[in-house]
Amino acid sequence: MPHKIGFVVVSSSGHEDGFSARELMIHAPTVSGWRSPRFCPFPQEVVVQMVERCRIRKLQLLAHQYMIPSKVEFYISESLPEYFTPCQAERFRRLGYVSLCDNEKTGCKARELKSVYVDAVGQFLKLIFHQNHANKYNIYNQVALVAINIIGDPAGFGEESNASSREKLIDHYLGHNPEDPALEGTSFGKSDYISPLDDLAFDMYQDPEVAQIIRRLDERKREAVRRECYDHAKKLKQAIADLQKVGEQLGRYEVEKRCAVEKEDYDLAKHKKRQMEQYRSRVYAQLELHSLVDAELMRRPFDWPLQPLIHGDSPHHQPPMLLPPPEEDRMTENQSAELFLQDKPSSRSLDVSPQDYSVDQLLPTTHPRLRTHLESLPYDERPLPAVHKQPGAMAVEPEKSDTDVSEVPRGATVGEPEPLTEKALREASSTIDVLGESVVAGAYSKMWSSREDALLALYKQLMDMPVGTPKEALRSTLRAAVFLIRRSIRDIVTPVFQASLKLLKMIITQYIPKHKLSKLETIHCVERTIPMLLTRTGDSSARLRTMTSNFIQEMALFKEVKSLQMIPSYLVQPLKANTSAHLAMSQMDLLARLLKELGTDNTGFTVDGVMKFTVRALEHRVYEVRETAVRVVLDMYRRHRASVLEYLPPDDSTTRRNILYKTIFEGFAKIDGRPTDAEVRAQKKAATEEAEKQNKEEIKILQGQLAALKEMQAEVQVDRVQEKEGKATAAECPDTCGRIAAAASSTEVPESHCLDNLCIFCGERSTSFTEEGLDLHYWKQCLMLTRCDHCRQVVEISSLTEHLLTECDKKDAFGKCHRCSEAVLREELPRHIKTKDCNPAKPEKQASRCPLCHENFAPGEEAWKAHLMGPAGCTMNLRRTHVLHKAPSQGKGPAMAKSGASGLKAGSKIPTPKGGLSKSSGRTYTKR
């Protein structure tokens, strides 16, 4: 029966001062438990070693009220000789994880007790704590664990479980009740019963001293039930219930006393201590009055003598003696542990006949060494109570062999199966007529070795059948063998189950082809066995599940079965709502493996059947089933593409909110070679960053150009000052000199004065042409300039072709057409040259060519201005068409046209400033 397992902490990834992981080894109301370091990296680990190799049935965690991990993972490992070797990650096997509540509903004032039922064998348990839940109290981002409890059974290295004997397993499988349920105390014969006294809540809220007394009284109660002293058992039961309330009250007093000490309120602590002592004395006096306890029971826990590290709280264990042990048994803990290891019998001990040795011949039954030895043995290896009274009986029950005498029922001899019951005779009457009663009796035997021997004998009988046997006899033998195979497939003993699979494989692959039986016999074998095999894939034993799944996959690939296309039809049957998690996972995994092996072309798998089953599996409650279903959908999409999309919802934002469908559609994109949403977002982010980088570079270039313009204006101001000085000098000269100076000034003043508030490209003058105004004019309004669509720089239209071929960031993407002399994308250049649709260009000395409208016109700067700014000029200049549409709406009439004409004329006289219109700076402008 499962009971509490002792453990020690082997290692931890770290702890806060005063909160070591070794605190987890103590279960009491005042324990603080383990805490991780402040601001620690995650995940954090704690590794514990159990006192012996055991089968873990239940794990309990008591979480902290606010230092709560979001998830705790469990790993288990077998016992290894080195001390720190088990701590290596590759040595551990993952069991699963539990998620803990963030405790917001309780305001972080309650602690969560999480219980997890598992079935795993090992000696080392590793707990991995993930990132903590954030709250206002956990300011250092720590995780903590107040206590951990492990409940299980001892397990030897040569067996899967020592929880029940073979006879009990067979009786349980056959539905037989135990001979005397009263011997099991409060467990009523249940091998998986867990005592409430082993629960973590009992130790964490009970006073340790009272908890020890309760456990001793519980042992006395079970002993009273075994002796059928029910009045005394009833009195003990009531005393245990009362003591539990007392223990909880004393536990509260102890916590209050501890809080008072922490606050240095020693008067309150002294009062609580006196209150506890008075309350405890009063309760103990009442118990002694009713003769329920004695002085030995009420000793403090640290006064109890050391015992071997075997838990004795389980009802399956014999109650220990309450008398003090002899002086020679009072020893140190290490000496006691060594004695226990020496006295523990080997799990591979030889069978000993009852006539050879007896208890009296070995040691007296009252010998203290023998009594300690018997109490340290597991329950299944202890002698029965009646054996102690009979001389000549064995003191230690050896491990049962395949022909153990204890398994032989009354009326049968050793090595022979027991006679068939009336029910078995009626059920297997037709099989007995074909195979004989001895084979069937062996298959129905309670001894698993007899059942295995019967199947192996049948295997040999079928292999030795001659080829010339009549078909009718062959078919009858086959159907009788299938009947026994069906019964053996349900067997819980692994060797019997393996023998049934071996026999079934031989019938399908050898017996039927050898005797040239029809396909109907193969169909009969598959139809009668595959449903039961699929049921066994949901077995609680991982070994049996794996064995069954592998056999079904192998069976589906038999050439005799593959052509029938039967097994795929069983695998795509919808999962029921009450289907166990193991069965659903195994069926889904089998479907994925067989679909990969067989495909969907004349194999029994169809797109409709597989997709309907898989879409339903996407909604299953078990994560592993949903994950496997996603893999199946992606595999089907690789094979059938569009046909799979008909069974799935549309790919939109609503559907992608479901993480499964988002994974599926992103998988489709990878299969098709398309970028996923994450990749698209990354590309957009990279493009945005690149555009921002280019904008910064353009701003930098424009700032340099503005600085150059400021230098030009400064030069103009210097010229004005020199001009004024020249006028003053000319006034003193003769008239002829004055006339010359006046003529010179009349020609120079307008030329220098016209640079103020003037665009040097189109010649337009405006009072709004300040530094920022000119910048805006160049960027959006100037008819002589345009923006490159590829690098967003502002360039002169007359030099746009040269810019695209030599200066643009995308210049490598352009090539020059030898016919029209314009820049064309390299991707389109071959088609452009081949079609010859472009207008041929003339030599530069004969004509200029507009890169916007692709027309040839007279060469020269004035011709460029007339073409780009004139009323009959370039129709593809978007800035010009915008101005023409905007002009009427502004209400400006002939005066505006006149000023524009004068502006053009004035602009045509302005020479290009040196360095101002170079290819690197003068013709390229960037938006601020």
Side-chain angles (χ1 to χ4, degrees):
M1 189 177 76
H3 58 82
K4 198 168 186 176
I5 303 295
F7 64 88
V8 294
V9 175
V10 176
S11 67
S12 66
S13 53
H15 62 85
E16 187 179 0
D17 292 341
F19 298 93
S20 171
R22 297 188 178 275
E23 292 285 328
L24 299 175
M25 298 162 56
I26 305 172
H27 293 171
T30 57
V31 297
S32 301
W34 166 81
R35 290 186 189 178
S36 67
R38 297 180 177 182
F39 301 112
C40 61
F42 289 98
Q44 291 284 302
E45 294 183 2
V46 173
V47 181
V48 301
Q49 178 184 3
M50 289 161 279
V51 295
E52 60 182 335
R53 185 176 183 268
C54 65
R55 175 180 288 274
I56 301 178
R57 300 292 189 178
K58 184 178 181 180
L59 293 172
Q60 290 184 298
L61 302 178
L62 183 60
H64 196 268
Q65 58 266 32
Y66 59 85
M67 298 181 186
I68 310 169
S70 58
K71 184 171 70 171
V72 180
E73 289 186 273
F74 300 97
Y75 291 79
I76 195 168
S77 173
E78 295 289 346
S79 177
L80 296 175
E82 294 83 357
Y83 186 71
F84 284 104
T85 301
C87 303
Q88 300 176 2
E90 61 270 14
R91 301 280 186 178
F92 285 84
R93 176 171 60 88
R94 187 174 185 270
L95 297 180
Y97 72 92
V98 293
S99 300
L100 298 177
C101 177
D102 55 10
N103 217 4
E104 290 183 356
K105 294 183 179 180
T106 64
C108 298
K109 295 180 180 179
R111 300 185 298 191
E112 181 180 7
L113 177 61
K114 180 74 75 172
S115 297
V116 185
Y117 291 90
V118 297
D119 187 5
V121 178
Q123 191 172 1
F124 292 86
L125 181 68
K126 179 167 68 174
L127 290 80
I128 296 182
F129 301 85
H130 290 264
Q131 182 70 42
N132 63 289
H133 286 297
N135 55 64
K136 61 181 180 180
Y137 302 103
N138 193 3
I139 59 177
Y140 300 114
N141 292 334
Q142 295 172 274
V143 293
L145 185 65
V146 179
I148 178 175
N149 191 29
I150 304 173
I151 298 176
D153 304 309
F157 284 95
E159 52 188 352
E160 283 295 314
S161 174
N162 286 329
S164 299
S165 64
R166 295 185 181 92
E167 186 174 357
K168 288 184 178 181
L169 286 174
I170 296 173
D171 286 341
H172 174 70
Y173 164 65
L174 296 176
H176 295 171
N177 293 325
E179 294 181 1
D180 191 359
L183 293 177
E184 300 300 331
T186 57
S187 64
F188 298 103
K190 297 180 180 178
S191 61
D192 58 349
Y193 174 77
I194 299 176
S195 173
L197 304 183
D198 290 334
D199 196 271
L200 182 60
F202 177 79
D203 283 322
M204 296 305 297
Y205 298 101
Q206 286 284 337
D207 178 72
E209 184 176 338
V210 176
Q212 186 74 5
I213 296 175
I214 290 175
R215 287 192 170 96
R216 298 291 178 177
L217 291 178
D218 187 68
E219 292 171 1
R220 287 188 171 186
K221 182 190 70 173
R222 291 198 297 268
E223 179 64 24
V225 172
R226 291 189 185 97
R227 291 187 282 105
E228 299 185 357
C229 299
Y230 299 120
D231 292 335
H232 187 55
K234 180 179 178 182
K235 188 184 297 185
L236 288 170
K237 177 183 177 183
Q238 183 61 41
I240 290 173
D242 295 338
L243 274 176
Q244 286 181 346
K245 298 178 182 179
V246 172
E248 292 177 2
Q249 184 63 40
L250 288 173
R252 283 193 289 269
Y253 286 158
E254 183 66 27
V255 173
E256 292 172 0
K257 184 183 73 173
R258 181 70 62 87
C259 293
V261 171
E262 291 177 356
K263 295 178 182 178
E264 297 185 354
D265 188 354
Y266 301 115
D267 293 335
L268 179 60
K270 182 179 179 181
H271 171 69
K272 289 296 178 182
K273 178 183 178 182
R274 186 183 302 112
Q275 189 177 10
M276 289 175 62
E277 292 175 350
Q278 293 175 355
Y279 186 43
R280 193 188 304 272
S281 300
R282 186 169 64 252
V283 172
Y284 288 173
Q286 293 178 2
L287 292 175
E288 288 181 348
L289 180 64
H290 293 86
S291 301
L292 294 177
V293 295
D294 50 22
E296 183 69 22
L297 263 181
M298 291 185 293
R299 287 188 300 169
R300 295 300 176 96
F302 49 78
D303 294 333
W304 293 102
L306 294 174
Q307 299 289 340
L309 296 176
I310 293 294
H311 200 274
D313 295 341
S314 171
H316 283 299
H317 289 76
Q318 297 292 339
M321 302 297 292
L322 297 180
L323 297 177
E327 292 297 328
E328 59 268 24
D329 287 344
R330 298 179 182 269
M331 56 186 67
T332 62
E333 183 178 2
N334 292 336
Q335 292 171 338
S336 179
E338 291 175 3
L339 176 62
F340 165 67
L341 292 176
Q342 292 170 3
D343 290 344
K344 187 173 181 180
S346 173
S347 60
R348 299 183 180 181
S349 58
L350 299 176
D351 294 340
V352 182
S353 174
Q355 288 79 12
D356 294 339
Y357 300 99
S358 66
V359 178
D360 295 334
Q361 292 172 346
L362 295 175
L363 282 174
T365 55
T366 58
H367 194 278
R369 179 75 171 270
L370 176 59
R371 183 169 61 248
T372 305
H373 171 66
L374 294 179
E375 290 176 2
S376 66
L377 291 177
Y379 174 73
D380 290 337
E381 297 184 4
R382 292 183 182 180
L384 294 175
V387 176
H388 289 288
K389 302 177 183 180
Q390 298 175 358
M394 294 177 60
V396 180
E397 179 185 357
E399 184 182 11
K400 297 182 179 69
S401 64
D402 293 346
T403 59
D404 198 336
V405 178
S406 63
E407 292 184 344
V408 182
R410 298 182 181 90
T413 59
V414 178
E416 294 182 3
E418 63 273 18
L420 291 170
T421 62
E422 292 295 332
K423 179 182 177 182
L425 288 171
R426 289 193 303 270
E427 181 181 314
S429 58
S430 59
T431 306
I432 293 173
D433 296 339
V434 177
L435 300 178
E437 186 173 353
S438 60
V439 175
V440 178
Y444 273 78
S445 174
K446 288 186 178 181
M447 294 186 296
W448 68 267
S449 56
S450 297
R451 299 196 299 274
E452 182 186 17
D453 292 340
L455 293 175
L456 296 178
L458 181 57
Y459 180 93
K460 188 175 184 304
Q461 179 182 343
L462 295 180
M463 287 291 292
D464 295 340
M465 289 190 72
V467 178
T469 306
K471 299 291 185 181
E472 188 62 31
L474 292 171
R475 282 192 291 269
S476 300
T477 305
L478 182 144
R479 292 176 185 267
V482 170
F483 175 82
L484 295 182
I485 289 173
R486 281 171 51 84
R487 178 179 176 83
S488 302
I489 286 176
R490 296 192 296 265
D491 204 300
I492 63 175
V493 181
T494 303
V496 179
F497 179 72
Q498 288 177 321
S500 66
L501 298 184
K502 179 180 178 182
L503 180 58
L504 178 60
K505 179 179 178 181
M506 185 273 294
I507 290 175
I508 295 176
T509 59
Q510 300 181 37
Y511 182 82
I512 294 177
K514 174 183 177 181
H515 300 284
K516 298 181 181 179
L517 299 178
S518 64
K519 286 186 178 181
L520 294 176
E521 306 307 323
T522 307
I523 293 173
H524 175 78
C525 292
V526 176
E527 286 180 344
R528 299 294 290 170
T529 57
I530 196 64
M532 306 186 72
L533 287 172
L534 288 174
T535 303
R536 290 310 300 270
T537 59
D539 197 274
S540 59
S541 171
R543 181 184 178 188
L544 282 177
R545 289 199 305 271
T546 304
M547 189 187 306
T548 309
S549 298
N550 292 339
F551 180 80
I552 293 176
Q553 181 180 5
E554 182 183 4
M555 182 178 175
L557 298 177
F558 293 161
K559 61 180 181 180
E560 296 83 6
V561 179
K562 183 177 179 181
S563 59
L564 300 177
Q565 303 180 10
M566 294 180 61
I567 294 181
S569 62
Y570 285 96
L571 294 179
V572 295
Q573 291 180 359
L575 296 172
K576 297 180 181 179
N578 58 350
T579 303
S580 67
H582 290 315
L583 180 58
M585 287 189 292
S586 299
Q587 184 172 344
M588 198 70 228
D589 183 64
L590 263 175
L591 174 63
R593 287 192 288 171
L594 281 179
L595 188 63
K596 189 174 182 180
E597 293 283 347
L598 300 176
T600 55
D601 297 332
N602 298 324
T603 60
F605 285 122
T606 62
V607 177
D608 182 71
V610 173
M611 288 305 301
K612 286 182 178 180
F613 173 81
T614 308
V615 170
R616 292 191 189 99
L618 289 173
E619 302 174 0
H620 200 271
R621 67 183 186 277
V622 180
Y623 168 74
E624 288 80 2
V625 176
R626 300 193 300 270
E627 188 179 33
T628 308
V630 171
R631 295 205 315 266
V632 172
V633 171
L634 296 178
D635 188 41
M636 290 293 293
Y637 185 78
R638 289 188 186 93
R639 301 171 186 268
H640 302 283
R641 302 292 170 126
S643 302
V644 174
L645 298 177
E646 299 175 0
Y647 300 90
L648 299 174
D651 183 7
D652 52 24
S653 58
T654 304
T655 306
R656 283 182 176 260
R657 291 176 184 173
N658 188 323
I659 188 64
L660 289 178
Y661 285 111
K662 180 180 179 182
T663 304
I664 290 173
F665 289 125
E666 288 186 352
F668 290 170
K670 290 182 179 179
I671 293 173
D672 295 337
R674 295 181 284 108
T676 62
D677 288 349
E679 294 173 347
V680 170
R681 288 194 296 269
Q683 292 175 0
K684 289 182 178 179
K685 183 179 179 180
T688 303
E689 293 176 352
E690 183 66 22
E692 291 177 355
K693 182 179 179 181
Q694 291 181 359
N695 288 338
K696 291 179 181 179
E697 293 177 354
E698 292 172 358
I699 291 172
K700 186 176 180 181
I701 294 173
L702 184 58
Q703 289 174 347
Q705 295 173 356
L706 291 176
L709 290 176
K710 288 181 181 180
E711 292 178 0
M712 293 171 57
Q713 291 179 353
E715 292 177 359
V716 172
Q717 295 295 335
V718 172
D719 292 341
R720 287 183 180 178
V721 172
Q722 293 177 355
E723 180 183 352
K724 289 179 181 180
E725 293 176 355
K727 286 183 179 180
T729 306
E732 300 175 358
C733 292
D735 294 341
T736 55
C737 295
R739 285 194 298 272
I740 295 172
S745 62
S746 63
T747 58
E748 292 178 2
V749 169
E751 188 172 347
S752 61
H753 179 68
C754 66
L755 291 176
D756 291 337
N757 304 327
L758 177 69
C759 174
I760 61 176
F761 297 104
C762 64
E764 181 179 354
R765 187 188 301 276
S766 174
T767 57
S768 63
F769 284 176
T770 60
E771 291 183 6
E772 296 181 356
L774 278 173
D775 185 14
L776 181 63
H777 174 74
Y778 294 152
W779 186 251
K780 291 186 176 181
Q781 300 171 359
C782 184
L783 302 181
M784 299 294 291
L785 306 177
T786 187
R787 271 185 287 182
C788 176
D789 294 333
H790 303 280
C791 65
R792 310 304 297 168
Q793 290 185 352
V794 177
V795 298
E796 288 187 86
I797 298 175
S798 59
S799 63
L800 178 60
T801 299
E802 184 180 0
H803 167 78
L804 291 175
L805 293 175
T806 59
E807 299 176 357
C808 183
D809 294 341
K810 306 293 184 180
K811 61 184 179 181
D812 295 334
F814 289 92
K816 186 175 182 180
C817 175
H818 63 276
R819 177 181 172 88
C820 61
S821 301
E822 292 187 19
V824 182
L825 289 172
R826 292 188 183 277
E827 299 174 356
E828 302 178 0
L829 185 60
R831 183 185 59 80
H832 177 83
I833 297 175
K834 185 177 181 180
T835 54
K836 297 183 179 181
D837 292 338
C838 57
N839 184 22
K842 295 181 179 180
E844 294 183 3
K845 295 182 179 180
Q846 297 181 9
S848 299
R849 184 175 181 85
C850 178
L852 302 181
C853 63
H854 314 297
E855 295 293 335
N856 299 320
F857 53 89
E861 185 177 349
E862 294 297 332
W864 271 107
K865 290 184 177 181
H867 176 73
L868 294 176
M869 301 173 58
C874 181
T875 58
M876 301 303 293
N877 189 354
L878 297 180
R879 294 188 179 187
R880 173 180 171 277
T881 55
H882 176 71
V883 171
L884 292 178
H885 286 297
K886 185 177 179 181
S889 63
Q890 293 177 348
K892 295 184 179 181
M896 183 65 188
K898 185 176 180 180
S899 63
S902 64
L904 291 177
K905 186 174 180 181
S908 63
K909 294 181 180 180
I910 298 175
T912 302
K914 295 181 180 181
L917 295 177
S918 65
K919 293 181 182 179
S920 61
S921 61
R923 297 187 178 185
T924 303
Y925 295 88
T926 312
K927 185 177 180 181
R928 287 185 182 274

